[in-house]
């Protein structure tokens, strides 16, 4: 899966997140300054966007951020697996 920096930036803006906030949602745990630098490099094309980051960004665009996802219990997961 390929994603351009322009696409990543558009997704981030659609979600209403800062560079640092988006980096944290994508799993980066550096300092806010390092997170901003990493995201800026992605968005300008200075650094290629890995397929896992692209997949997560698209997933966030489609389903929203993880904190917005409905809660699902272990019992519900087990029930779905047995169906």
């Amino acid at each position: 899966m390929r994603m351009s920096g322009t696409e990543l930036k558009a997704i981030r803006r659609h979600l209403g997140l800062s560079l640092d906030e988006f980096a944290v949602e994508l799993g980066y745990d550096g300092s806010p300054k390092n997170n901003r630098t990493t995201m800026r490099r992605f968005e300008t094309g200075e650094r290629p966007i890995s397929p896992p980051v692209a997949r997560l960004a698209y997933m966030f665009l489609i389903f929203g951020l993880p904190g917005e996802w409905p809660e699902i219990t272990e019992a519900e997961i087990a029930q779905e697996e047995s169906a």
Side-chain angles (χ1 to χ4, degrees):
M1 170 173 285
R2 297 188 62 110
M3 174 182 278
S4 72
T6 303
E7 290 173 297
L8 186 69
K9 185 176 187 175
I11 291 171
R12 177 181 62 81
R13 286 186 168 177
H14 176 79
L15 295 170
L17 299 174
S18 69
L19 290 166
D20 179 51
E21 290 168 336
F22 196 38
V24 169
E25 291 292 342
L26 290 169
Y28 290 90
D29 60 359
S31 70
K33 181 180 178 185
N34 286 344
N35 287 346
R36 287 190 301 270
T37 300
T38 298
M39 296 309 297
R40 199 171 289 116
R41 287 179 178 161
F42 283 151
E43 290 183 359
T44 62
E46 184 179 335
R47 181 175 174 184
I49 300 165
S50 70
V53 169
R55 282 188 207 101
L56 277 174
Y58 281 130
M59 192 169 72
F60 294 162
L61 178 64
I62 295 166
F63 298 106
L65 299 171
E68 300 165 353
W69 296 349
E71 291 291 322
I72 185 165
T73 65
E74 288 183 37
E76 290 171 318
I77 293 170
Q79 184 179 21
E80 287 181 20
E81 289 175 351
S82 66

